[in-house]
Amino acid sequence: MIGLKHLYGLDTHFCCNYRAIDTCGIMEFDKSHFIQLIQNNNLILVNYLNYLSLYAQKPISVIRDIAPRSTSLFLPALLNEFTCRNADNISLVSHNMPIAQFIENVFNISEDVLESMIERGAVSLKSDSCLVVNDIDVLYYF
């Protein structure tokens, strides 16, 4: 099922577009029908709970596994983990402080490194509070 993790919860906005490479069909049903499916079939229920558990554990595993080893990999790893594959229009917005200060405080990326990222086209500043990610792959080289 596509977008299963967005079926319930506070954020039900689906963030990806899919394009079939071959002829396919779509089966669509509402939430109440899905509830009936998981109530009537324990295998579907267990698979759904495993799927949700995987996505619930991903943020913690990224922080636990990557952050201590390399602060420079922390930003691109988080972006790869929390955005859709081939996502574009990725922005980081800071409401409490200038984005450069936020990047330095949270990701331990100095203003000099941030300027280098901008020069190499990995990111750009949309405003004092918004950083646009142009190329996640380039971020791995900082």
Side-chain angles (χ1 to χ4, degrees):
M1 294 180 76
I2 298 172
L4 195 56
K5 64 183 178 282
H6 295 287
L7 190 59
Y8 297 98
L10 297 175
D11 181 11
T12 58
H13 184 264
F14 192 64
C15 66
C16 295
N17 295 319
Y18 289 90
R19 183 175 302 141
I21 58 174
D22 202 356
T23 304
C24 70
I26 297 174
M27 179 175 58
E28 187 176 351
F29 47 86
D30 59 25
K31 289 180 184 180
S32 62
H33 184 74
F34 183 71
I35 290 292
Q36 286 177 333
L37 283 173
I38 61 175
Q39 284 177 337
N40 295 330
N41 188 318
N42 284 338
L43 181 60
I44 292 174
L45 174 61
V46 169
N47 286 337
Y48 182 58
L49 292 173
N50 284 333
Y51 183 79
L52 291 178
S53 179
L54 170 70
Y55 277 91
Q57 294 169 12
K58 277 182 126 182
I60 298 303
S61 66
V62 167
I63 292 168
R64 184 181 56 235
D65 296 343
I66 293 175
R69 288 187 286 144
S70 172
T71 56
S72 64
L73 292 178
F74 191 48
L75 176 61
L78 280 179
L79 291 173
N80 271 320
E81 196 64 36
F82 297 115
T83 59
C84 299
R85 175 184 266 175
N86 300 323
D88 54 4
N89 299 322
I90 301 170
S91 298
L92 296 175
V93 179
S94 173
H95 297 287
N96 299 325
M97 64 185 75
I99 193 68
Q101 184 181 351
F102 174 80
I103 295 292
E104 186 167 0
N105 291 352
V106 174
F107 301 108
N108 199 25
I109 295 173
S110 70
E111 198 167 325
D112 292 339
V113 173
L114 180 59
E115 286 176 19
S116 180
M117 290 175 170
I118 293 169
E119 289 172 6
R120 292 181 63 188
V123 297
S124 56
L125 288 175
K126 187 173 183 178
S127 68
D128 286 344
S129 62
C130 181
L131 179 82
V132 177
V133 178
N134 301 320
D135 191 341
I136 292 175
D137 294 331
V138 175
L139 290 176
Y140 282 101
Y141 295 102
F142 291 94

